[in-house]
Amino acid sequence: MHQIDAQSLIDPTALSKSAVAVVARLCENNHSAFIVGGAVRDLLLGKRPKDFDVATDATPEQIVALFRGARIIGRRFQIVHVRMGREIIEVTTFRGHHGGDTSKIAAKSNKGLLLRDNVYGTLDQDAARRDLTINALYLDPLQHLILDDLNGIEDIKKRTIRIIGDPAGRYREDPVRMLRVARFAAKLGFSVDPATQEAIGECRHLLADIPSARLFDEAIKLFMSGHAAETFEQLRRHDLLETLFPEAVDALDLEGAQELITQAMKNTDGRIARDKPVTPAFLFAALLWPAVALRSDEIVRAGNADGSPVNAAGQEILARSLQRVSIPKRFSIPMREIWELQPRLDKCSPKRAKSILALRRFRAAFDLLLLRRDQDEELSGAVKFWEEQQQLFPEIVGSQPPTEIPKKRRRPRRRKPEQ
Ligand code: ATP
Ligand code: MG
């Protein structure tokens, strides 16, 4: 194992005391234990880690026996959550090789994977099955050492995203890794190693087999982590956006479409940077708006619009998008409301103004109108009209914050990689 002195590389005060305590307790009981993954990477980059994960050779049962407030979660991949004060440290047992022909593993769905996946392994094996070199660093916070067998530190210095092992084989094991490459390239501002990038060409079609619920989780990580605009660029660069939102890609040639989407993403990133609440409903509504507008035009041209063509288009685009990314109703309903309000906002009817202002989605719909106006000056009149109406009747609009925090499940399910 390649050992590196961590003293000069990592600020010890940035370490989570709870994570260090968990490692210490495991070590006192003759286990080996390390802080792993994103936390070590972020510490080396001088960033504050989101959370601290620990990997150990202790089994879930052995871990639970050592900590009060520890709970085993997950069926396919047993993880232990150790509660330390307000923090929860996720502790996993080293995972081993699943062996065999990886293409066969990917072709099969769950049952075959299930058994192979909970195979415990050594630290070396655990490192090799991680996705990126920069995510396969093991920090021993007691001896201040970093174990770096896969040259993660060098890749951090070179600012390179590199898949561990043969990229195509690793993508076949778990195609979501391609999205992770784009996500980390965007989040960290790193470049993607050529071999890691090239294999995406032959593997991106495999994302079609990933369950839409997992793709939704991934889409949230891609677009709601504060780097949506750059992630959008990365996804476009690697032709990965079409694996998630083919409808959005089909409409990108529409004049102003890319600019509108990029601006929506920048706004979301800005709000996250300022700790303001954001909702995926608005972001996905903007992402798919050009597709809705395009479809709505087609419906109008075909002359078969019974009710509102935007409503019909919105329903269609949403239905098609849900086949790939299962956006839950608590977001998709507001998305449709935001779309359906656009033609009503365009009309500027003084008679209807008050009732429209009072609608729950008025502020979000107005935000989308602002983005549309930036691409289409003809909408300036409508923006002015609604600005005046809001000033005239602030008490009506004031009842609803511009964008609200989505209702979160108390205990978010974690979907673990299919490998
Ligand atoms: P973030 O700061 O975004 O949470 P992270 O590196 O902690 O980044 P997670 O998604 O929390 O990312 O995953 C934790 C660790 O698990 C990763 O660092 C990586 O080593 C491993 N991992 C996660 N997903 C996969 C995957 N699909 N294939 C292989 N290893 C994975
Ligand atoms: Mg993490």
Side-chain angles (χ1 to χ4, degrees):
M1 260 280 166
H2 192 201
Q3 295 192 349
I4 289 160
D5 184 2
Q7 303 261 26
S8 58
L9 299 174
I10 284 180
D11 168 13
T13 62
L15 287 174
S16 143
K17 289 207 176 75
S18 311
V20 177
V22 169
V23 169
R25 180 127 178 86
L26 284 161
C27 291
E28 281 157 19
N29 287 274
N30 299 320
H31 292 295
S32 68
F34 301 88
I35 293 171
V36 285
V40 187
R41 174 198 73 219
D42 290 347
L43 287 168
L44 285 166
L45 287 164
K47 293 179 193 264
R48 210 151 70 107
K50 242 181 19 201
D51 40 38
F52 283 79
D53 297 336
V54 168
T56 176
D57 63 357
T59 63
E61 292 73 22
Q62 289 172 325
I63 302 166
V64 166
L66 286 177
F67 298 94
R68 267 189 300 147
R71 230 161 38 83
I72 296 183
I73 58 161
R75 266 182 308 155
R76 276 198 306 153
F77 308 94
Q78 291 198 327
I79 320 172
V80 181
H81 274 181
V82 178
R83 183 178 284 282
M84 295 285 232
R86 269 203 232 141
E87 243 181 306
I88 289 183
I89 305 296
E90 202 170 285
V91 187
T92 40
T93 307
F94 294 146
R95 296 236 303 274
H97 291 307
H98 32 58
D101 177 349
T102 51
S103 62
K104 270 192 206 142
I105 291 170
K108 261 194 266 177
S109 60
N110 302 341
K111 292 210 175 93
L113 288 172
L114 218 143
L115 294 171
R116 287 199 186 100
D117 257 349
N118 256 332
V119 171
Y120 302 133
T122 61
L123 190 151
D124 292 9
Q125 291 168 341
D126 190 76
R129 58 149 277 276
R130 289 179 186 269
D131 53 352
L132 308 175
T133 56
I134 58 168
N135 285 345
L137 294 160
Y138 293 69
L139 170 69
D140 176 339
L142 309 174
Q143 304 198 57
H144 305 288
L145 285 174
I146 296 175
L147 307 187
D148 174 25
D149 255 14
L150 297 157
N151 291 328
I153 293 187
E154 194 182 315
D155 280 337
I156 287 182
K157 284 193 187 137
K158 287 203 243 160
R159 306 182 67 80
T160 299
I161 301 292
R162 188 191 314 273
I163 286 279
I164 295 167
D166 167 49
R170 301 304 309 285
Y171 294 150
R172 266 183 245 123
E173 279 175 358
D174 181 8
V176 168
R177 289 177 186 146
M178 290 181 272
L179 299 175
R180 291 178 59 89
V181 165
R183 176 157 74 86
F184 286 112
K187 171 179 161 161
L188 304 172
F190 281 21
S191 54
V192 180
D193 159 71
T196 294
Q197 166 160 348
E198 268 156 36
I200 293 179
E202 59 185 279
C203 296
R204 69 168 68 78
H205 68 280
L206 298 170
L207 279 160
D209 299 330
I210 300 297
S212 56
R214 185 165 176 220
L215 289 184
F216 173 74
D217 286 357
E218 215 46 47
I220 292 292
K221 288 193 204 163
L222 287 164
F223 296 123
M224 306 304 289
S225 308
H227 306 274
E230 184 52 37
T231 302
F232 180 73
E233 280 295 305
Q234 287 287 341
L235 291 173
R236 293 280 294 143
R237 191 171 307 156
H238 302 292
D239 291 328
L240 285 167
L241 189 65
E242 64 226 47
T243 65
L244 292 169
F245 294 102
E247 277 66 35
V249 174
D250 289 345
L252 277 181
D253 290 335
L254 219 65
E255 209 187 317
Q258 298 218 26
E259 292 79 358
L260 179 142
I261 293 170
T262 304
Q263 195 55 50
M265 305 225 159
K266 284 187 180 156
N267 293 355
T268 300
D269 292 345
R271 291 182 66 91
I272 291 173
R274 282 175 276 127
D275 266 338
K276 289 196 173 182
V278 286
T279 166
F282 180 76
L283 193 74
F284 291 151
L287 178 62
L288 289 165
W289 169 253
V292 173
L294 188 67
R295 183 68 194 121
S296 170
D297 282 352
E298 282 171 9
I299 293 173
V300 172
R301 256 184 276 123
N304 50 5
D306 283 344
S308 150
V310 167
N311 288 12
Q315 277 191 37
E316 265 184 51
I317 295 297
L318 187 62
R320 283 193 243 149
S321 300
L322 289 176
Q323 293 178 0
R324 297 273 56 234
V325 177
S326 71
I327 303 170
K329 285 223 165 62
R330 68 182 187 282
F331 303 130
S332 65
I333 291 171
M335 283 166 69
R336 278 182 49 191
E337 290 170 352
I338 292 168
W339 293 333
E340 289 167 15
L341 263 171
Q342 298 308 308
R344 299 173 70 186
L345 294 184
D346 296 356
K347 274 198 199 111
C348 316
S349 152
K351 255 206 259 163
R352 304 248 156 80
K354 262 180 138 174
S355 62
I356 289 179
L357 283 177
L359 291 173
R360 287 207 302 169
R361 302 300 162 206
F362 171 78
R363 285 304 298 255
F366 179 72
D367 284 348
L368 181 56
L369 176 67
L370 288 175
L371 294 176
R372 292 170 57 219
R373 188 269 321 267
D374 292 343
Q375 306 308 321
D376 179 358
E377 274 187 26
E378 281 182 25
L379 294 170
S380 301
V383 166
K384 211 162 151 245
F385 174 82
W386 290 107
E387 273 168 355
E388 284 164 8
Q389 296 302 314
Q390 290 178 76
Q391 278 167 6
L392 281 172
F393 308 108
E395 69 289 353
I396 303 180
V397 191
S399 61
Q400 191 68 23
T403 35
E404 73 243 40
I405 312 175
K407 238 201 201 140
K408 275 204 188 133
R409 270 173 282 169
R410 272 244 206 88
R411 202 175 286 141
R413 250 182 306 159
R414 285 182 62 118
R415 274 188 198 87
K416 277 284 158 173
E418 314 263 331
Q419 50 163 348

